[in-house]
Amino acid sequence: MPRSTEIRSQPVKSKSRRTILKAGGALFVSVVTPLPALASQILAVRVWPSEDYTRVTLENDSNLKVTHFVVKDPERLVVDIEGIDLNSTLKDLVAKIQPNDPYIKQVRVGQNRPSVVRLVFDLKDEIKPQVFTLAPVGEYKYRFVIDLYPANPPDPIAALIQKGDWLKEAPATPPLAQTPPPKPDPVPLAEIKPQPEDRNERNPRVVPEEPRMQLTRMITIALDPGHGGEDPGATGARGNREKDVVLSIAKRLKRKIEQYPNMRVMLTRDADFFVPLGQRVVKARKVQADLFVSIHADAFVQPTARGSSVFALSEKGASSTAARWLANKENSADLIGGVNIKTHDRQLASVLLDLSTTAQINDSLRVGNAVLKEIGGINKLHKGAVEQAGFAVLKAPDIPSILIETAFISNPEEEAKLTDERYQEQMADAILTGIRNYFAKNPPLAKNKLT
């Protein structure tokens, strides 16, 4: 009996050992063999159409592998996204394409093959696509961006002349707040003449003669509403966004400037889309602007901060810690808005960084002081003088450039002002008066066409 028991016990031990080895082997295989990856999830889709270009953004929870190609006759852009499955969020992209989109007729979305979604953009004209990804920043996770640029962009000066907005009646616009009629110009822009001598014998007075100036060409103003598109800028406690407020003020200012036959305006953006900082400067230079005015709404960590400010570029460093902090914040717009690094012109960036001249900065300070004086009549000033810092958007080497912080959107009282139509009108009037006073004393020089 003991022997038979011993013989029977051998197979049992061997079987148990084999079972353990098999289980261990399976466990080993499962450890060293990667498990199938979970599909990435599309979290949001956004479309930003404009005359300059149309941007499509897909926000997702991980980086995506993407391929794309263009198909002719008819024009189409095909984009394949690997590692995802079609979901309701991605299907929403179809409804986000509007009939007035300058470049996209429609988009078709489908599951091309397992774990590969295909987007087909039916286009209205030939385009040059830029497709790239962005790492997480701010409140955004990973973003996949499709920028559709026209293959044959119009000449900016020709487009500005063709519009001829300053020669036509003002276009129909939503009703604005009732404002008193504008006061007579304190300093006529076209010509300054000496005041007549006071003939009152009891109180004789001779007004010093002012220099006579006759403008011989059109003045071009570049207005730059800050932020836009993927970059909302600062947000107030009531949810108002800087990009919306400053665009409204810029449009009001544009209409006012165009009432004068010797002035015309170019907006760096006229709708809700993103423009990189360097490209804003490039746009101003392409239309040979005589002045660049960037319009913003300030924000600070404490809601008690308030007041309007005007800034110019600095060669030597910021004029205050607050100015340096603000410049750093504004200069981060490219990270938030999303720039395609592969197409970034490093040579252009070098020009913008290195060639700003002392003369440009001095002219910027002059126009900044003229505007600051007028703004002080409608709102408290955060600082009583023009401040300076290294704002990237002010680095055009040949154009006087200022940045206006119209008020603190982070201050509840000033947020209410910024969204009030009457205040927006007053701010536009103040900026315009400052600009005209500057040009009355500093007539623009003749310019040769930039190359």
Side-chain angles (χ1 to χ4, degrees):
M1 290 294 294
R3 186 175 180 180
S4 63
T5 302
E6 185 177 346
I7 293 173
R8 288 177 182 175
S9 64
Q10 292 282 348
V12 173
K13 288 183 180 180
S14 298
K15 184 177 181 181
S16 300
R17 187 167 179 267
R18 285 195 301 269
T19 302
I20 293 172
L21 287 174
K22 287 181 180 179
L27 179 62
F28 176 75
V29 170
S30 67
V31 170
V32 298
T33 304
L35 295 174
L38 297 176
S40 298
Q41 292 295 315
I42 301 297
L43 305 175
V45 292
R46 297 180 288 274
V47 180
W48 310 100
S50 72
E51 290 185 3
D52 289 17
Y53 73 109
T54 290
R55 167 168 288 192
V56 178
T57 303
L58 278 61
E59 188 175 358
N60 43 282
D61 59 4
S62 62
N63 209 356
L64 297 176
K65 183 179 180 181
V66 181
T67 57
H68 72 281
F69 56 93
V70 174
V71 182
K72 297 289 187 181
D73 300 323
E75 297 286 338
R76 285 158 289 165
L77 173 67
V78 180
V79 179
D80 286 340
I81 310 173
E82 299 182 22
I84 66 170
D85 292 322
L86 191 59
N87 63 6
S88 58
T89 302
L90 196 51
K91 291 179 181 178
D92 288 343
L93 179 60
V94 175
K96 290 182 180 291
I97 304 301
Q98 300 300 313
N100 61 349
D101 190 297
Y103 303 108
I104 304 176
K105 287 182 182 178
Q106 65 177 1
V107 62
R108 291 171 281 148
V109 181
Q111 193 79 43
N112 183 253
R113 54 188 185 274
S115 297
V116 177
V117 169
R118 170 166 288 186
L119 313 179
V120 179
F121 294 90
D122 297 315
L123 306 171
K124 295 180 179 179
D125 205 349
E126 184 181 2
I127 56 94
K128 287 185 177 179
Q130 293 184 15
V131 179
F132 56 99
T133 58
L134 297 170
V137 62
E139 297 181 358
Y140 292 120
K141 295 187 181 296
Y142 292 91
R143 285 175 291 171
F144 164 56
V145 179
I146 306 168
D147 285 345
L148 305 177
Y149 287 92
N152 301 297
D155 176 78
I157 294 182
L160 191 63
I161 295 173
Q162 185 177 7
K163 286 183 179 179
D165 293 339
W166 63 94
L167 299 175
K168 303 174 184 177
E169 293 184 4
T173 55
L176 304 178
Q178 295 297 321
T179 57
K183 297 179 181 179
D185 232 341
V187 184
L189 181 60
E191 185 177 3
I192 294 183
K193 299 179 180 180
Q195 295 290 335
E197 182 179 340
D198 191 339
R199 299 293 183 181
N200 187 339
E201 296 180 358
R202 295 182 180 179
N203 184 25
R205 177 176 60 88
V206 177
V207 179
E209 183 175 338
E210 294 283 351
R212 293 175 61 87
M213 295 186 301
Q214 184 69 40
L215 295 178
T216 58
R217 66 174 179 81
M218 182 78 69
I219 294 178
T220 303
I221 311 295
L223 296 182
D224 174 49
H227 308 281
E230 290 288 284
D231 175 22
T235 302
R238 299 179 183 178
N240 295 292
R241 300 175 300 185
E242 179 181 4
K243 67 175 183 177
D244 301 324
V245 169
V246 298
L247 179 60
S248 179
I249 294 173
K251 285 184 173 180
R252 293 174 191 271
L253 178 55
K254 177 178 183 288
R255 289 196 292 267
K256 293 176 184 294
I257 293 175
E258 288 172 343
Q259 293 175 3
Y260 295 90
N262 55 355
M263 302 179 78
R264 64 187 177 194
V265 183
M266 184 275 294
L267 289 174
T268 59
R269 69 176 183 95
D270 57 5
D272 186 13
F273 62 98
F274 172 70
V275 183
L277 297 175
Q279 189 61 32
R280 295 170 187 259
V281 180
V282 170
K283 284 187 167 191
R285 298 189 75 202
K286 283 184 176 179
V287 298
Q288 302 178 59
D290 299 291
L291 177 64
F292 181 91
V293 180
S294 192
I295 302 174
H296 293 254
D298 212 344
F300 195 62
V301 291
Q302 296 178 348
T304 53
R306 61 181 300 160
S308 303
S309 306
V310 177
F311 293 84
L313 187 64
S314 171
E315 283 186 307
K316 299 179 180 179
S319 56
S320 69
T321 302
R324 183 183 301 107
W325 178 86
L326 180 63
N328 291 336
K329 182 173 72 71
E330 297 295 0
N331 290 347
S332 68
D334 280 356
L335 295 176
I336 303 295
V339 175
N340 186 2
I341 301 299
K342 293 181 180 179
T343 63
H344 193 264
D345 190 335
R346 295 183 179 179
Q347 183 177 2
L348 170 63
S350 175
V351 169
L352 298 181
L353 288 172
D354 297 337
L355 295 186
S356 294
T357 65
T358 301
Q360 183 261 29
I361 293 176
N362 289 339
D363 284 339
S364 301
L365 290 171
R366 290 190 189 100
V367 67
N369 279 312
V371 170
L372 188 69
K373 179 180 178 181
E374 299 301 323
I375 291 178
I378 66 166
N379 193 34
K380 177 182 177 181
L381 296 179
H382 188 65
K383 293 285 185 179
V386 177
E387 292 204 81
Q388 294 179 261
F391 292 90
V393 79
L394 301 183
K395 292 184 177 181
D398 47 2
I399 306 173
S401 304
I402 60 172
L403 185 146
I404 301 171
E405 295 287 358
T406 51
F408 276 84
I409 199 170
S410 55
N411 180 296
E413 182 181 342
E414 293 203 336
E415 180 186 7
K417 278 186 175 182
L418 287 168
T419 56
D420 179 73
E421 290 184 343
R422 182 175 178 82
Y423 181 80
Q424 291 186 4
E425 286 285 308
Q426 291 175 333
M427 179 60 66
D429 282 330
I431 296 172
L432 173 59
T433 301
I435 290 173
R436 287 176 58 78
N437 286 344
Y438 164 76
F439 278 118
K441 297 179 180 179
N442 303 272
L445 301 175
K447 287 188 176 183
N448 295 322
K449 185 173 179 62
L450 296 175
T451 56

